[in-house]
Amino acid sequence: MKTLTLLRHAKSSWDDPISRDFDRPLNAKGRRAAVMIGRQLKSLDLRFDHIVASPAVRVIETLDEVWSGYGRKLEPVWDKAMYLASAASLLDLVHALPEAADHVLMVGHNPGLEDLVLDLTLDGELRERVEDKYPTATVAQMTLPVDRWPDARAHSATLVAFIRPRDLDPTLGPDTP
């Protein structure tokens, strides 16, 4: 059995005058949410033996804040293919994950992460929440009934957790600054 955890980057700032979307930083709310998610990952005793992440600034900053809350910094493999990747491209990355890795964290962007969860998972209440919305700084964790990553297939995974920042702190919901 393999476990795949997906983390969407935290809320980014549209206020900074930047020339490329890739360089967009987090805003204050995004930083708070990422720290809170890191604390939650620690409280659930989630451990990762492999991390792959988009090298976009907002993802790098998200992970910095998550590690602050988690209490320990873990080094990801930065993969440009994660930047704004489609679900199909992300599944290709899943299929190429190291065999020795049993619990992987992928950190990136929507709509690819949301679509990957919907493509991989079986129907259920948590999946319906993903269909409704996969907000920034949200974690989705799935267990896959496979021993090898290349065997991951559509509609076979079980969604075991879907954690939104607003579930941990209502002030991190969509209606607050």
Side-chain angles (χ1 to χ4, degrees), residues 29-164:
K29 183 176 175 181
R31 290 182 186 286
R32 284 193 347 258
V35 170
M36 181 81 54
I37 288 295
R39 287 186 191 128
Q40 184 68 10
L41 295 176
K42 181 179 182 176
S43 76
L44 295 172
D45 198 30
L46 296 185
R47 298 168 195 256
F48 309 101
D49 47 27
H50 186 76
I51 302 164
V52 61
S54 162
V57 169
R58 58 192 177 272
V59 173
I60 293 168
E61 290 182 356
T62 294
L63 279 174
D64 286 344
E65 298 299 334
V66 165
W67 300 147
S68 172
Y70 189 74
R72 179 178 123 169
K73 184 174 183 172
L74 304 174
E75 288 299 326
V77 172
W78 301 106
D79 190 336
K80 246 187 158 163
M82 289 278 305
Y83 177 66
L84 303 180
S86 68
S89 295
L90 291 172
L91 185 57
D92 288 342
L93 292 173
V94 169
H95 288 157
L97 289 169
E99 284 306 312
D102 289 321
H103 191 159
V104 172
L105 173 64
M106 294 180 83
V107 189
H109 312 267
N110 252 7
L113 291 179
E114 178 178 338
D115 292 342
L116 182 62
V117 172
L118 296 175
D119 288 351
L120 286 177
T121 58
L122 300 163
D123 289 339
E125 182 183 333
L126 285 180
R127 189 176 187 280
E128 290 173 11
R129 289 177 61 201
V130 174
E131 286 176 341
D132 184 45
K133 186 170 185 182
Y134 194 130
T136 53
T138 293
V139 172
Q141 185 180 64
M142 300 167 276
T143 56
L144 293 91
V146 299
D147 294 322
R148 299 175 52 246
W149 291 109
D151 297 333
R153 297 288 175 258
H155 308 295
S156 65
T158 301
L159 186 59
V160 295
F162 186 66
I163 306 162
R164 303 171 302 183

